[in-house]
Amino acid sequence: MKFATKVIHAGIEPDPSTGAIMTPIFQTSTYVQAAPGDHKGYEYARTQNPTRTALETNLAALENGTDAICFSSGLAAQDAVIKLLNPGDEVLSVNDLYGGSYRQMVRVWGPWGLKSRYIDMSDPAVVAGSITAETKMLWIETPTNPMLNIVDIEALCAVARSKDVLTVVDNTFASPYLQNPLDLGADIVLHSATKYIGGHSDVVHGCLITKNAELAQRLRFLQNASGAVPGPQDCFLVLRGIKTLHLRVQRACENAEKIAHFLKGHPAVSKVYWPGFENHPGHAIAKKQMRLFGAMVSFDLVDNSPEAATKVLSGTHLFALAESLGGVESLIGHPASMTHASIPREERLKVGLTDSLVRLSVGVEDADDLIEDLKMALS
Ligand SMILES: *Cc1c(COP(=O)(O)O)cnc(C)c1O
């Protein structure tokens, strides 16, 4: 089955009791048994819920996995992955990891005994040399936020596999429509479905996908035993969002391409970060591992004062000033004061995250209107 068919049909069956074509929201906490142990596969709703099962089956298909395990948020999904490890184990991670992922690893899991190290993963040989006996997991994010750096998933998974290290790819920024890390050798894919998969800025949700039966079983155990499960209404909203995932991401990427080129030619803009440009350092790898170049675009201003950035950020009408990404509506953000405020300024500047850097999550509106909006804000 091809992707556009999977989003609509994978895991989706008409409801057997009524024929309802849409998966019902099974808003129930428990299920009646005919006799002790005689049930229909559903005992208690933390453990199983039919709305969640439909979503998990669908998500597994989208990432070419065998199992998806859903959680109440992307960070709850991460929390389950880290619980595969033991105190003293190390996670080796990209150095421009999503801020919330970094915070959880350092401030929640650090005191418990997790070691975490953050390195530039653009050279797989450097990553190979950085793996020690304590390293048990490679944590990859590509493209990254907000600099849109690209790392080679296939090469890094090969390095990890040769050293018996698990690989986890946070695929949130690409979405399963653009990039499928399990096909490139990853052990676990993580999504914040809050972003492109949900796609309508109306739900917080996370999931893990794998094709390794043992990992699936351990993660399924953690889902139930730790209990950060999503409610059935949230599962329904994610399922509904997925039905247009391919259409939304396709259009958003096309819009982002037009916007990136517009920004590149604008006299007030000094630099545009978008992996589709041939001179982007990760362009060749992005071309190899992604179907399109994504719908996130970051740019810096010639006047690199925070005031200049504030003028642009408050000057748009269609681009809404807000955190998050991946919804149908376009968003504009200021990483230095919003998503990345907890990172020391010197550290930020080292990777190009200046006070005047602006990040766009390009939506599915008309590209001409979006460009007009940016033109006004930049003038
Ligand atoms: C938002 C996000 C997360 C966290 O997901 P939540 O659903 O907000 O918990 C993790 N990784 C990336 C790349 C994200 O953008």
Side-chain angles (χ1 to χ4, degrees):
M1 224 188 265
K2 299 236 166 62
F3 195 86
T5 311
K6 284 197 245 181
V7 295
I8 312 285
H9 292 288
I12 312 296
E13 299 288 345
D15 175 48
S17 63
T18 62
I21 192 163
M22 284 302 123
T23 309
I25 301 167
F26 284 90
Q27 195 74 51
T28 188
S29 63
T30 191
Y31 309 86
V32 177
Q33 308 191 4
D38 178 6
H39 55 74
K40 299 176 160 64
Y42 295 92
E43 296 150 277
Y44 183 64
R46 176 173 15 80
T47 321
Q48 314 104 340
N49 178 286
T51 317
R52 196 177 87 199
T53 302
L55 174 59
E56 289 177 336
T57 309
N58 185 272
L59 284 166
L62 299 191
E63 283 288 12
N64 302 327
T66 55
D67 293 81
I69 302 99
C70 287
F71 295 87
S72 51
S73 70
L75 287 182
Q78 171 177 325
D79 191 82
V81 174
I82 302 297
K83 285 173 181 152
L84 297 171
L85 301 173
N86 295 306
D89 288 351
E90 181 190 71
V91 179
L92 194 59
S93 180
V94 289
N95 60 359
D96 48 358
L97 186 67
Y98 173 72
S101 303
Y102 173 84
R103 181 178 58 201
Q104 185 186 103
M105 286 191 198
V106 171
R107 292 179 56 190
V108 177
W109 290 108
W112 168 87
L114 181 78
K115 296 189 173 140
S116 57
R117 200 146 43 96
Y118 304 87
I119 62 165
D120 180 349
M121 291 198 183
S122 50
D123 182 354
V126 170
V127 177
S130 303
I131 291 174
T132 69
E134 287 177 335
T135 312
K136 296 290 188 279
M137 191 175 275
L138 210 58
W139 195 280
I140 299 171
E141 203 184 304
T142 182
T144 61
N145 175 27
M147 303 315 299
L148 303 170
N149 290 320
I150 305 286
V151 298
D152 189 331
I153 298 174
E154 194 168 23
L156 292 176
C157 289
V159 163
R161 182 138 310 181
S162 73
K163 296 180 184 276
D164 264 336
V165 170
L166 280 178
T167 42
V168 181
V169 177
D170 183 336
N171 205 24
T172 301
F173 262 52
S175 91
Y177 179 58
L178 298 186
Q179 180 171 278
N180 299 118
L182 297 182
D183 295 347
L184 303 171
D187 294 299
I188 299 170
V189 174
L190 179 149
H191 280 284
S192 167
T194 312
K195 317 294 167 55
Y196 288 103
I197 290 181
H200 294 75
S201 309
D202 54 8
V203 63
V204 172
H205 187 102
C207 62
L208 303 171
I209 302 125
T210 183
K211 55 181 181 186
N212 174 316
E214 190 203 327
L215 283 175
Q217 195 188 358
R218 289 169 69 196
L219 292 168
R220 179 80 57 204
F221 168 80
L222 288 164
Q223 178 194 41
N224 183 51
S226 285
V229 293
Q233 170 109 18
D234 287 356
C235 292
F236 174 87
L237 285 171
V238 176
L239 265 174
R240 181 178 164 128
I242 286 173
K243 293 177 201 295
T244 54
L245 177 64
H246 54 313
L247 305 173
R248 288 185 285 105
V249 177
Q250 177 75 35
R251 169 62 83 86
C253 289
E254 288 165 13
N255 284 352
E257 176 166 6
K258 290 178 188 159
I259 287 170
H261 283 102
F262 157 74
L263 289 169
K264 202 175 185 184
H266 197 283
V269 174
S270 63
K271 207 161 185 320
V272 184
Y273 300 89
W274 178 65
F277 287 132
E278 271 173 29
N279 65 353
H280 184 289
H283 178 73
I285 296 164
K287 209 166 161 177
K288 182 180 76 164
Q289 70 190 15
M290 299 173 78
R291 282 184 199 95
L292 298 163
F293 297 105
M296 301 298 295
V297 179
S298 295
F299 62 98
D300 212 337
L301 301 170
V302 174
D303 175 355
N304 57 9
S305 65
E307 295 74 36
T310 303
K311 253 186 74 188
V312 175
L313 290 154
S314 35
T316 56
H317 298 287
L318 293 175
F319 281 88
L321 179 61
E323 296 199 7
S324 199
L325 62 121
V328 288
E329 58 286 302
S330 294
L331 301 181
I332 191 167
H334 186 230
S337 70
M338 294 166 75
T339 46
H340 291 65
S342 58
I343 299 168
R345 188 164 181 273
E346 301 73 60
E347 293 297 314
R348 279 197 275 115
L349 292 180
K350 268 191 229 161
V351 298
L353 205 167
T354 63
D355 295 334
S356 51
L357 188 82
V358 175
R359 188 193 83 173
L360 304 176
S361 168
V362 178
V364 303
E365 302 96 330
D366 186 278
D368 294 341
D369 288 336
L370 293 177
I371 287 172
E372 205 50 46
D373 196 37
L374 290 170
K375 207 180 271 177
M376 287 222 312
L378 283 163
S379 67

